[in-house]
Amino acid sequence: MNLALPGQLVTYDYRDDHSTLPADLDICRPLRVVEWNIERGYKLDAVIAILEKLDADILCLQEIDICNRRSGSQNHGQIIAERLKLNAGIVIEFQELLSPCRNATQQGGGLHGNGIYSKFDMNFRVIDHTHQPYNWPKNGMLLGEPRLGRRSTLVAEIQIPGQLPILAYSAHFECFTGILGRTGMLCDLLLDSREQSSHTPHQLIMGDFNTFAHSLARFSPKYANGWYRFRTLGMTEPEWWLHNILSWYPEHDGLRNLRLEHDGLPNNLQLSQEMYDAAVNPGWYDPFDPITDITICNHAGWMTAKADWAFVRQLHVIQCWMENCDFLASDHRCLVVEVEYAQEDILDKHMQLTKDLARKLTSKQRRRRWMWSTLATAALSWFAFKYIKA
């Protein structure tokens, strides 16, 4: 079969009538939205069973395999759309090359990307990230995963009958980098979201952002590299995002993120002025707790993180919860949010909630650092008293 190329879009429509919904139909109920990294569909039937039970209106999925040997050489993007009877778009991020350096659970031969599925009509476009922290065509062989392509985010303008359209993003940030590498990718989305907000204010920014450069990962230059690797001790990467970027609002704090600009980066690592301008929150709000609502748990629980995010903009969150909490269908938990349309004043409410959370977490970080420094001082004093003779 002829496969699409990285950066291209693949679409399917398996809705029952394959036609546009009636123009006079009015969807006035809450909308159910799912964010999930499905881990290449290794357990596709289990993934689909959960999605069938949820019966969501919008799905933002990452790690969709198309015809790769590691996942049964099947077109998972098409199978999901067909079995759930949904409209779908998938952006191809990578062509996974067949190679003897890959083991059976990694073997390629097909494509890999991110998708958005919906019961409604959609218009798609692709964000080709300006910031690419890892050069896959050049260095993929070093990780035993030779592939062609680069990170891309799929964007869909979803036509909700009787309502204003919703702009949805499905993103998958690079895991083989550090905080600064993912900050560049985040700035790409923040800028796009802000530019689109004047004519499409209702937004869903979903994805596996791989925010795990802390805990056990901090000691691996493969998963956590760069200037912030050990300078964020006592802080998780989601906490760093909240403190340095997500709690900075252009209307309230200034058009340029001075907190990030003055965070102590050495001159050779300073970000561009365009990035400091882009690194501001245009109204995003994630209803999940950045510390306790972990979405990955690896290495016997030693590496946990909120890697997946479900941001909303100018939408009211009625309720949210997680599925796949036992990690049996995928190595990521599934985020579910139910939302309804909201007026512009909800942006102020979400800003206050985000700022309050950032202040609370900063206070906890200071207490943790004081505790550890006190314990370290006490331990050194005891060692000096017991073993070092005058």
Side-chain angles (χ1 to χ4, degrees), residues 33-191:
V33 184
V34 164
E35 152 53 32
W36 199 7
N37 178 323
I38 62 171
E39 195 192 5
R40 301 175 173 178
Y42 285 134
K43 299 176 181 176
L44 187 63
D45 287 339
V47 166
I48 292 177
I50 291 174
L51 295 177
E52 284 178 330
K53 180 190 72 172
L54 289 171
D55 188 27
D57 298 290
I58 301 168
L59 309 175
C60 296
L61 306 180
Q62 297 82 47
E63 290 202 15
I64 299 172
D65 259 10
I66 297 178
C67 302
N68 284 303
R69 292 188 183 181
R70 65 193 177 200
S71 52
S73 298
Q74 296 178 307
N75 186 335
H76 292 182
Q78 183 176 13
I79 291 171
I80 293 171
E82 184 175 13
R83 288 179 57 178
L84 298 179
K85 298 186 184 303
L86 294 176
N87 189 11
I90 298 110
V91 61
I92 304 305
E93 283 193 304
F94 298 107
Q95 178 185 354
E96 305 285 4
L97 302 178
L98 285 172
S99 172
C101 78
R102 290 179 180 261
N103 58 36
T105 61
Q106 299 283 346
Q107 193 55 267
L111 306 172
H112 187 69
N114 311 316
I116 298 176
Y117 295 73
S118 180
K119 298 175 179 178
F120 311 120
D121 295 336
M122 296 186 285
N123 299 314
F124 298 102
R125 63 183 174 89
V126 174
I127 296 176
D128 179 19
H129 281 274
T130 301
H131 300 92
Q132 298 283 337
Y134 194 83
N135 188 332
W136 280 100
K138 179 180 179 181
N139 300 319
M141 186 73 74
L142 300 177
L143 298 175
E145 293 188 72
R147 55 181 12 177
L148 302 177
R150 47 196 277 129
R151 295 290 178 184
S152 301
T153 293
L154 181 62
V155 187
E157 185 178 82
I158 305 175
Q159 308 300 323
I160 311 297
Q163 303 287 348
L164 293 173
I166 288 178
L167 198 65
Y169 296 74
S170 181
H172 191 190
F173 284 7
E174 186 56 63
C175 60
F176 299 109
T177 183
I179 288 177
L180 275 181
R182 281 184 285 274
T183 295
M185 301 187 74
L186 177 63
C187 285
D188 293 337
L189 293 194
L190 289 167
L191 180 60

Side-chain angles (χ1 to χ4, degrees), residues 101-296:
C101 78
R102 290 179 180 261
N103 58 36
T105 61
Q106 299 283 346
Q107 193 55 267
L111 306 172
H112 187 69
N114 311 316
I116 298 176
Y117 295 73
S118 180
K119 298 175 179 178
F120 311 120
D121 295 336
M122 296 186 285
N123 299 314
F124 298 102
R125 63 183 174 89
V126 174
I127 296 176
D128 179 19
H129 281 274
T130 301
H131 300 92
Q132 298 283 337
Y134 194 83
N135 188 332
W136 280 100
K138 179 180 179 181
N139 300 319
M141 186 73 74
L142 300 177
L143 298 175
E145 293 188 72
R147 55 181 12 177
L148 302 177
R150 47 196 277 129
R151 295 290 178 184
S152 301
T153 293
L154 181 62
V155 187
E157 185 178 82
I158 305 175
Q159 308 300 323
I160 311 297
Q163 303 287 348
L164 293 173
I166 288 178
L167 198 65
Y169 296 74
S170 181
H172 191 190
F173 284 7
E174 186 56 63
C175 60
F176 299 109
T177 183
I179 288 177
L180 275 181
R182 281 184 285 274
T183 295
M185 301 187 74
L186 177 63
C187 285
D188 293 337
L189 293 194
L190 289 167
L191 180 60
D192 189 90
S193 170
R194 185 162 49 147
E195 290 175 344
Q196 301 297 320
S197 63
S198 59
H199 55 83
T200 316
H202 307 288
Q203 299 179 2
L204 300 162
I205 306 93
M206 308 281 177
D208 172 9
F209 293 97
N210 274 317
T211 44
F212 59 69
H214 53 265
S215 185
L216 189 64
R218 194 188 303 275
F219 299 96
S220 170
K222 178 180 177 182
Y223 293 107
N225 56 53
W227 191 79
Y228 282 112
R229 183 181 177 191
F230 293 111
R231 288 173 176 83
T232 55
L233 282 170
M235 178 187 298
T236 66
E237 187 172 351
E239 288 176 289
W240 187 93
W241 274 32
L242 271 168
H243 177 74
N244 287 283
I245 299 177
L246 296 176
S247 60
W248 187 279
Y249 290 80
E251 298 84 0
H252 185 272
D253 303 301
L255 296 179
R256 172 171 293 177
N257 191 331
L258 299 180
R259 183 183 299 139
L260 182 60
E261 188 174 10
H262 299 152
D263 199 38
L265 281 170
N267 291 334
N268 64 319
L269 292 178
Q270 282 288 328
L271 308 179
S272 68
Q273 295 305 309
E274 291 77 14
M275 285 184 66
Y276 290 124
D277 291 341
V280 297
N281 189 337
W284 295 9
Y285 170 71
D286 186 312
F288 293 92
D289 189 284
I291 305 301
T292 60
D293 287 332
I294 63 169
T295 62
I296 59 170

